[in-house]
């Protein structure tokens, strides 16, 4: 967790360097390991062990992770108000409130040792095939509305979190307007305070992703096995959109201009390969 030890106390007097605790110095960043977090979750898992060539697992996680440490790296982020760390207590960006995963492997019942086509030429043609599936469904990442271009708290900052005057949620949101920016406003100039908007109060688009795999095993004698495989991430090429622009003073506020890339949620990719095992 980081804080500016040389941040002036918020007030109605227009900012100047003289208001700093150490007027002759600029920003003094202090980092320590005092960050707090609480994580609570309910996970339900349904699993079938391999039987008759089929195995699968389905799981659903309902999670809540609250923290005052919001950085994306080991530095842990910086408090907006060095004198009020409680104001930075909120949802952690990376945690998805709901997350459902289904995975399966199915060996087709053809070829040697199986019910169908267990002998003759056909056991080599249709035998040894299997396929896998992976389905991911989850709610979106949290994000925080923001503003730029003013310093209502008079602490030498040119951006911050706005006031929240509504929930900001649209029932008919779209990639051109994901949240209601009119539910947020910039605090009045020289009001001597930060905005009352909490951290990560809104959610971006969720993720829907299907990965597929197709495999063929060819046995050579007892020691050698040749495995052909073709795998596809985001096989349906479903667009998973990123979080929107959050700055309420810009015309682009609420607009989504990118897509997700984590967990195979980007554009469809394909991979074909072969592997000799012995």
């Amino acid at each position: 967790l980081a804080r500016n030890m040389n941040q002036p106390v918020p007030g109605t007097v227009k900012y100047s360097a003289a208001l700093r605790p150490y007027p002759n110095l600029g920003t003094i960043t202090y980092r320590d390991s005092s960050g707090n977090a609480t994580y609570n979750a309910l996970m339900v898992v349904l699993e079938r062990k391999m039987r008759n060539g089929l195995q699968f697992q389905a799981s659903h996680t309902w999670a809540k992770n609250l923290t005052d440490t919001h950085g994306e790296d080991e530095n842990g982020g910086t408090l907006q108000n060095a004198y009020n760390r409680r104001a930075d207590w909120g949802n952690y960006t990376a945690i998805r409130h709901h997350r459902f995963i289904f995975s399966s492997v199915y060996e087709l019942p053809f070829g040697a040792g199986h019910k169908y086509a267990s002998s003759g030429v056909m056991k080599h043609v249709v035998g040894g095939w299997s396929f896998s599936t992976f389905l991911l469904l989850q709610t979106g990442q949290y994000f925080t509305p923001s503003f730029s271009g003013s310093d209502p708290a008079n602490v030498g900052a040119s951006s911050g979190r706005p006031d929240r005057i509504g929930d900001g949620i649209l029932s008919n949101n779209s990639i051109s307007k994901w949240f209601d920016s009119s539910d947020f406003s910039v605090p009045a100039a020289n009001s001597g305070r930060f905005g009352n908007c909490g951290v990560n109060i809104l959610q971006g688009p969720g993720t829907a992703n299907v990965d597929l795999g197709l495999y063929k095993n060819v046995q050579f004698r007892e020691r050698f096995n040749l495995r052909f495989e073709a795998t596809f991430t985001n096989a349906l090429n479903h667009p998973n959109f990123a979080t929107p622009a959050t700055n309420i003073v810009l015309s682009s506020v609420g607009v989504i201009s990118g897509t997700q890339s984590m967990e195979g949620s980007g554009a469809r990719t394909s991979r074909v390969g072969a592997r000799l095992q012995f």
Side-chain angles (χ1 to χ4, degrees):
L1 184 67
R3 71 195 77 199
N4 177 13
M5 294 181 62
N6 207 23
Q7 184 185 76
V9 176
T12 57
V13 178
K14 190 173 179 61
Y15 168 79
S16 70
L19 296 174
R20 298 171 180 163
Y22 307 97
N24 295 325
L25 300 176
T27 299
I28 302 175
T29 302
Y30 174 76
R31 291 189 175 95
D32 60 25
S33 57
S34 64
N36 296 304
T38 62
Y39 177 84
N40 294 281
L42 171 67
M43 175 180 283
V44 179
V45 179
L46 175 65
E47 184 176 23
R48 171 190 166 117
K49 301 294 186 180
M50 178 64 78
R51 188 175 64 191
N52 297 326
L54 174 65
Q55 69 176 30
F56 65 80
Q57 183 182 82
S59 66
H60 179 253
T61 304
W62 178 28
K64 186 77 169 180
N65 188 6
L66 297 173
T67 182
D68 55 15
T69 306
H70 298 281
E72 296 300 324
D73 55 30
E74 68 277 4
N75 293 327
T78 303
L79 295 176
Q80 177 179 250
N81 184 354
Y83 305 98
N84 183 13
R85 63 183 294 172
R86 180 66 185 177
D88 279 62
W89 183 258
N91 293 301
Y92 183 56
T93 305
I95 293 298
R96 308 302 182 101
H97 192 48
H98 290 280
R99 180 178 171 93
F100 175 80
I101 293 177
F102 176 84
S103 60
S104 68
V105 175
Y106 181 52
E107 297 178 353
L108 298 182
F110 305 109
H114 292 281
K115 184 176 182 180
Y116 306 105
S118 59
S119 60
V121 176
M122 291 303 295
K123 77 174 183 180
H124 301 291
V125 176
V126 299
W129 288 96
S130 62
F131 68 89
S132 64
T133 59
F134 179 85
L135 170 66
L136 170 64
L137 300 173
Q138 61 186 5
T139 52
Q141 285 190 307
Y142 292 100
F143 67 91
T144 307
S146 64
F147 70 86
S148 63
S150 61
D151 181 18
N154 292 318
V155 296
S158 59
S159 61
R161 298 195 296 270
D163 283 337
R164 188 183 191 184
I165 55 179
D167 62 18
I169 299 173
L170 292 173
S171 59
N172 57 340
N173 58 3
S174 65
I175 61 173
S176 60
K177 190 175 183 180
W178 187 258
F179 70 99
D180 190 352
S181 58
S182 66
D183 281 349
F184 302 90
S185 64
V186 180
N190 299 319
S191 59
R193 63 177 181 83
F194 294 95
N196 63 23
C197 181
V199 179
N200 291 330
I201 58 170
L202 298 176
Q203 283 182 290
T207 307
N209 185 42
V210 177
D211 299 339
L212 298 176
L214 182 64
Y215 312 92
K216 167 72 171 177
N217 289 307
V218 180
Q219 189 74 32
F220 293 96
R221 299 183 180 177
E222 295 184 359
R223 293 186 53 201
F224 298 96
N225 181 71
L226 183 61
R227 179 180 174 90
F228 299 96
E229 56 186 48
T231 57
F232 308 89
T233 61
N234 194 5
L236 303 180
N237 207 28
H238 174 75
N240 292 296
F241 295 105
T243 53
T246 62
N247 193 330
I248 64 171
V249 304
L250 300 180
S251 60
S252 61
V253 61
V255 176
I256 297 177
S257 58
T259 56
Q260 302 175 31
S261 59
M262 298 182 296
E263 300 179 292
S265 60
R268 178 175 52 223
T269 62
S270 306
R271 183 176 66 88
V272 178
R275 181 173 60 191
L276 179 62
Q277 299 172 320
F278 58 90

